[in-house]
Amino acid sequence: MDITRFGPDDVAALKEWVELSDAVRLEDSPWETEVTLLRTEARFRVGWDGEPSTPYLATVDGTVVGGGAINTSEYDNLHLAWLGVLVHPDHRRQGYGSAILAHLEDEVRRTGRTSVGMDGWESDATRGFAAKHGYEKKHQAIARRQYLADIDRAELDKRYDEALAAATDYVLERQQFPTPEADLDDLAEMASAINDAPTDDLEIEDEVFNAQRMKAYEDACAFRRERAYRVVARHVPSGKLAGQTVVVVESERPAYGDQHDTSVVRAHRGHRLGLLLKVEMLRWLAEAEPQVEHIETFNAESNDHMIGVNEVLGYRVMARELAFQKSL
């Protein structure tokens, strides 16, 4: 088997990655939305916030049997690399996944990083593969989907009005990308609140946010041709940003929305801001993007508060994702 690194300018390799990824999706998680060439290129060119993944394809006699990816950050967690392993359903149980994983670990060792993680949808195969290679389960998250046609708008309006009584010192503001450069530092400070989300037993450090990273995130959304919507809560007495929620809508698939960050700064919790932000977002999307059919989100299974908000909003459980980690 040959394992070859490629880059975002290699169109043929990108197309092979898309075909591989979609075959894996149809086998393991058919409820997920299909993989596209644009989003694949974006992953390997700009990443989530300016730090692209490094991809590899594995071939046998010219046939793609699997692939892998390495994700690292230079902002934080300099000890850590996050790995992805894919094996085509037609070529499983032949040792290809183990060989790809070993190759990725060797690549990480050469960079001096000392910890690796990977994740996968909950199954006996996922647990068995991780255990076989010395990875311990450290975290689990729930993938949820909200079908907008099923939302009881009248009930949400009622809950919104009730929540307002706890948030008399706050106003909600609608913002679109790009954020003015002068506001990026304040945005980064607010975004740091996401570090309070549960990470269970993962050996990871807080993420570091600054103006450069916030701009890179918005630039990456633009590269993916996503129309982004941000609702922020502002504390009126201080003028400080207290929380935010962000949803993006794909231009190439406008029926799909993706929930990005929802977080409230610790000093401003207890005022029902999470619910207020999300309901205001739904109102905005109904006006600006009425064609959106569903919105995807992830939460740590131990994040009881946000899960409670999402259940009020009608999100349905789709799957559980397990995260594993080991020391090199």
Side-chain angles (χ1 to χ4, degrees):
M1 182 172 65
D2 295 319
I3 302 175
T4 306
R5 176 177 173 175
F6 68 94
D9 294 319
D10 190 335
V11 177
L14 288 175
K15 290 180 178 178
E16 289 178 320
W17 180 278
V18 169
E19 292 177 4
L20 168 66
S21 299
D22 219 39
V24 170
R25 176 189 67 85
L26 289 170
E27 179 72 16
D28 298 340
S29 53
W31 58 270
E32 284 192 281
T33 54
E34 66 273 15
V35 183
T36 71
L37 185 62
L38 170 62
R39 298 183 75 78
T40 298
E41 180 189 352
R43 177 181 176 185
F44 302 139
R45 189 179 297 280
V46 297
W48 177 260
D49 52 12
E51 297 187 305
S53 301
T54 302
Y56 301 79
L57 281 174
T59 59
V60 174
D61 296 329
T63 298
V64 174
V65 299
I70 299 175
N71 304 273
T72 59
S73 177
E74 296 301 325
Y75 288 107
D76 50 58
N77 286 284
L78 302 182
H79 68 297
L80 178 64
W82 207 259
L83 312 179
V85 175
L86 298 175
V87 179
H88 194 287
D90 294 341
H91 300 282
R92 292 180 175 177
R93 297 177 179 83
Q94 299 182 62
Y96 296 146
S98 295
I100 293 168
L101 179 59
H103 184 86
L104 298 180
E105 289 179 350
D106 285 344
E107 294 283 273
V108 171
R109 285 189 183 92
R110 280 192 279 273
T111 70
R113 300 200 177 220
T114 58
S115 180
V116 286
M118 62 178 176
D119 50 46
W121 299 117
E122 183 179 45
S123 68
D124 290 341
T126 296
R127 291 179 182 274
F129 184 78
K132 175 182 178 181
H133 297 286
Y135 287 75
E136 297 181 56
K137 186 176 81 69
K138 299 286 190 176
H139 179 68
Q140 54 194 46
I142 302 295
R144 285 179 167 82
R145 175 176 290 167
Q146 180 186 47
Y147 290 92
L148 273 62
D150 295 344
I151 295 174
D152 185 337
R153 300 278 177 172
E155 177 63 23
L156 279 190
D157 287 345
K158 176 184 174 183
R159 289 178 178 269
Y160 182 93
D161 291 340
E162 292 171 349
L164 281 175
T168 54
D169 285 341
Y170 299 86
V171 293
L172 301 182
E173 301 173 4
R174 297 176 176 183
Q175 301 178 352
Q176 287 189 287
F177 296 4
T179 299
E181 190 169 334
D183 296 335
L184 288 171
D185 284 325
D186 288 343
L187 191 65
E189 182 180 354
M190 177 182 62
S192 299
I194 198 66
N195 285 316
D196 289 340
T199 56
D200 300 333
D201 298 321
L202 286 170
E203 297 167 14
I204 58 176
E205 304 163 354
D206 284 352
E207 293 183 82
V208 174
F209 295 94
N210 56 28
Q212 176 187 357
R213 193 171 196 176
M214 300 309 296
K215 184 179 185 304
Y217 159 70
E218 294 190 2
D219 288 347
C221 291
F223 186 89
R224 293 189 294 267
R225 300 205 299 270
E226 294 169 340
R227 298 190 291 272
Y229 299 84
R230 173 184 280 122
V231 178
V232 301
R234 189 179 299 276
H235 184 236
V236 176
S238 67
K240 292 283 191 179
L241 295 177
Q244 69 167 339
T245 189
V246 178
V247 170
V248 300
V249 178
E250 299 182 28
S251 294
E252 60 178 343
R253 299 181 300 186
Y256 301 158
D258 191 25
Q259 176 72 64
H260 287 190
D261 183 19
T262 298
S263 58
V264 176
V265 175
R266 185 178 303 176
H268 298 283
R269 291 173 191 162
H271 297 282
R272 310 288 301 278
L273 294 180
L275 177 65
L276 291 170
L277 287 164
K278 286 205 157 193
V279 175
E280 178 65 15
M281 176 62 75
L282 289 172
R283 292 176 174 178
W284 192 6
L285 292 174
E287 299 168 13
E289 303 279 358
Q291 80 291 336
V292 173
E293 296 175 1
H294 61 76
I295 297 173
E296 312 285 344
T297 193
F298 268 86
N299 297 107
E301 193 164 4
S302 56
N303 192 345
D304 295 333
H305 177 73
M306 190 53 65
I307 287 173
V309 171
N310 285 336
E311 288 178 346
V312 168
L313 296 171
Y315 276 87
R316 304 181 192 177
V317 172
M318 306 303 291
R320 175 182 283 110
E321 183 185 64
L322 306 180
F324 306 86
Q325 193 172 13
K326 82 170 184 180
S327 171
L328 292 179

